[in-house]
Amino acid sequence: MQVSVFGAAGEVTGSCYLITVNGYQILLECGLLQGNEEREERNADPFPFDPKRLDAVILSHAHIDHAGRLPLLVKRGYSGPIWTHQATADLLRIMLEDSASLAESDAAYENRKRHSGQPEKQPLYRKRDVAETLRQVRGLPYDALKEILQGVRLRLHNAGHILGSASVELQGGEPGKVRTLIFSGDLGMRGMPILRDATPPSHADLVMLESTYGDRAHRPRAETLREIEEILRRAREDGGNVLIPAFAVGRTQEVLYWFAQHWEEWELARFRIFLDSPMAIRVLDVYNRHTDMFDREAQNVWASHPHPFRLPNLKLTSDTAQSQEINNMRSGAIIIAGAGMCSGGRIRHHLRQNLGRREAHVIFVGYQAAGTLGRRLVDGAPRVRILGEEIQVNAHIHTVGGLSAHADQTGLLDWYGHLADAPPVLLVHGEDRARVPLAEKLRERFGCRVELAQPEQVIDV
């Protein structure tokens, strides 16, 4: 068994790894690169392998940095199965159709600006490619051992990150010399709302471990919730709007969950709350179909009032006209919109309207990758360019880290500690500032061998 690294090595987007085992080629993840324009242009590069020769694809979860190039893979000739969790299969339709719509609209916008005679820009993929991709998806439950190719078995463990997220266990090799590869996928924090905690595997010959927050401990959740309460109080006093850039899957549902839990003490009835994300609105339906995967507390909240997805003053704005009407509000609105890193979507329009207002507040509740608009705002940029317009940043910018859907350093170490005999580790999906400290802690605490994944690196299992 060999692993070839083709993405998320020293960065947190574009996850992509090729596993060679028993003569088969298996692709683990096929994510979009996100961030600045140069990075995103790399999405159209040829794959460093032949899609037509792949025998299987395995997907840990539905976030676009792990799944976003699947339709391109299919467009370029892959015709085999895509194995993932059943709930991820439901979410993929929403995520990939939205990604294709953005790609098509961005290409159309660029072509309108081009001079006569210039070649037209083509989208990375189209909705028809998504439709073909979805026909190849095969859903599995957690913990079931499935032979996906002769002598190659797959098991998915709950990763506790988003609905349907999984750690991947792949077994293969010669008789008597079977090797087990564990890919953590994105791991959630213990005690996260809605979902059950991750269930770590017990054995591996090599662990591919995410390291997004390998350099830090998240703030205690109770402190984070008090901080949100204080921000909302200040926003009421300042008379401004509150903007929350949020990922459509996971973070949006968690924010609404906390709003339901703290409805009275946060005085949320004094705001008008908008969920301005067609994709997130569709995702609510998927969550409602999979309440059996919730933890006990979330199941109680779903049965109580107010229901997180049906708050009394929550308005779901699907069409463009409804979204544009929100821009007429100068105060008293909480606007939850995508994209979570402000790299696209409706949040950019709301930021353009509100960043210049000293009474406005922006709450970042998720990771902001290098090169994104969200990262520039979090880093304190005094001015930013949005939709071709230079904007002075006068609004209050808040980073609320305790709601992260990723495990922190302690969580990553605890998850690894469930594995017997301290297997070797390959750190992926993390910037160097996060994975270097994590590598030191792993060596110090467990005495294991740790490598930092490098692009095009090949590792024997």
Side-chain angles (χ1 to χ4, degrees):
M1 184 184 287
Q2 281 189 331
V3 178
S4 300
V5 179
F6 294 125
E11 56 187 347
V12 296
T13 67
S15 290
C16 188
Y17 314 97
L18 183 67
I19 315 301
T20 304
V21 58
N22 291 28
Y24 298 113
Q25 292 189 9
I26 301 169
L27 192 66
L28 177 60
E29 315 279 75
C30 195
L32 271 181
L33 289 150
Q34 298 170 299
N36 55 34
E37 186 174 339
E38 178 183 354
R39 184 179 295 172
E40 292 178 357
E41 285 178 352
R42 288 162 48 199
N43 285 314
D45 291 349
F47 289 108
F49 48 82
D50 184 354
K52 296 177 183 177
R53 295 186 61 189
L54 294 174
D55 297 289
V57 173
I58 301 171
L59 179 64
S60 69
H61 67 288
H63 274 153
I64 214 72
D65 58 326
H66 293 258
R69 279 190 295 170
L70 284 173
L72 182 63
L73 190 76
V74 170
K75 177 182 176 181
R76 292 180 177 175
Y78 177 65
S79 57
I82 300 169
W83 297 99
T84 192
H85 188 270
Q86 294 160 336
T88 297
D90 288 346
L91 290 171
L92 269 182
R93 178 178 302 277
I94 300 170
M95 303 293 282
L96 296 181
E97 286 178 354
D98 179 79
S99 181
S101 293
L102 286 174
E104 290 177 358
S105 62
D106 286 350
Y109 175 75
E110 288 293 328
N111 290 331
R112 286 194 297 269
K113 296 193 301 181
R114 297 195 175 193
H115 300 295
S116 177
Q118 284 186 302
E120 284 197 346
K121 179 181 178 180
Q122 298 298 317
L124 194 64
Y125 49 80
R126 299 179 183 274
K127 292 179 183 176
R128 62 173 177 263
D129 301 309
V130 172
E132 180 58 39
T133 302
L134 294 172
R135 282 193 281 270
Q136 295 170 215
V137 174
R138 306 288 183 267
L140 292 173
Y142 288 134
D143 303 322
L145 192 60
K146 171 73 174 179
E147 187 172 55
I148 59 171
L149 296 162
Q150 187 173 351
V152 181
R153 298 188 295 177
L154 168 67
R155 184 177 1 237
L156 303 178
H157 303 264
N158 176 25
H161 174 62
I162 64 168
L163 193 73
S165 60
S167 297
V168 173
E169 176 184 344
L170 193 66
Q171 302 175 7
E174 300 174 5
K177 295 183 180 180
V178 172
R179 294 290 182 264
T180 300
L181 172 70
I182 297 293
F183 172 55
S184 70
D186 287 357
L187 295 171
M189 287 286 290
R190 291 191 65 81
M192 277 178 55
I194 303 178
L195 302 178
R196 298 188 181 105
D197 290 340
T199 54
S202 59
H203 167 76
D205 294 295
L206 175 68
V207 178
M208 297 170 62
L209 179 61
E210 72 118 320
S211 52
T212 311
Y213 286 114
D215 60 336
R216 71 193 70 177
H218 294 319
R219 292 181 63 190
R221 188 163 288 116
E223 289 184 17
T224 298
L225 296 175
R226 285 195 295 270
E227 182 181 4
I228 294 174
E229 180 181 14
E230 175 61 18
I231 295 169
L232 295 176
R233 184 192 63 78
R234 287 179 57 190
R236 289 195 303 271
E237 293 176 353
D238 293 343
N241 293 326
V242 178
L243 275 58
I244 306 179
F247 299 103
V249 181
R251 200 54 45 82
T252 292
Q253 293 73 35
E254 183 176 351
V255 168
L256 293 175
Y257 175 95
W258 291 122
F259 281 5
Q261 283 280 66
H262 300 276
W263 177 257
E264 293 185 1
E265 61 197 277
W266 290 0
E267 299 186 53
L268 287 161
R270 297 176 60 178
F271 289 94
R272 294 183 64 188
I273 304 172
F274 297 91
L275 178 53
D276 191 28
S277 168
M279 181 164 59
I281 292 167
R282 292 178 66 191
V283 170
L284 299 185
D285 292 333
V286 178
Y287 268 69
N288 280 329
R289 292 202 302 272
H290 289 279
T291 55
D292 59 305
M293 298 176 64
F294 294 179
D295 61 26
R296 184 175 301 174
E297 184 179 5
Q299 290 180 359
N300 291 336
V301 171
W302 250 249
S304 67
H305 299 283
H307 185 291
F309 300 165
R310 293 194 291 271
L311 301 174
N313 55 349
L314 172 64
K315 184 172 183 180
L316 309 180
T317 54
S318 295
D319 63 53
T320 303
Q322 291 175 319
S323 178
Q324 291 171 341
E325 287 178 8
I326 302 172
N327 289 327
N328 297 325
M329 297 189 63
R330 296 186 65 89
S331 66
I334 297 175
I335 305 164
I336 306 167
M341 298 184 194
C342 307
S343 54
R346 294 181 177 181
I347 193 63
R348 291 183 299 173
H349 298 276
H350 299 303
L351 288 169
R352 184 171 65 171
Q353 294 293 327
N354 287 274
L355 277 179
R357 299 173 181 169
R358 298 185 185 279
E359 67 275 16
H361 293 256
V362 183
I363 306 176
F364 285 96
V365 294
Y367 187 85
Q368 305 301 308
T372 62
L373 172 58
R375 180 68 161 263
R376 292 196 293 277
L377 289 169
V378 164
D379 288 345
R383 301 180 68 85
V384 293
R385 179 171 290 276
I386 302 176
L387 301 171
E389 182 180 348
E390 195 78 14
I391 306 291
Q392 179 75 33
V393 180
N394 295 320
H396 302 275
I397 308 297
H398 309 273
T399 302
V400 179
L403 296 186
S404 176
H406 284 268
D408 60 6
Q409 185 184 87
T410 298
L412 293 169
L413 293 171
D414 288 349
W415 181 89
Y416 175 83
H418 285 83
L419 290 156
D421 302 323
V425 178
L426 182 68
L427 289 180
V428 298
H429 203 279
E431 297 172 3
D432 281 350
R433 68 177 188 180
R435 60 183 187 159
V436 169
L438 179 61
E440 293 173 356
K441 288 290 184 181
L442 283 163
R443 296 184 188 111
E444 174 187 311
R445 181 168 166 181
F446 300 103
C448 56
R449 178 167 58 86
V450 184
E451 291 187 63
L452 309 184
Q454 304 298 324
E456 300 186 15
Q457 181 181 8
V458 179
I459 303 101
D460 288 320
V461 180

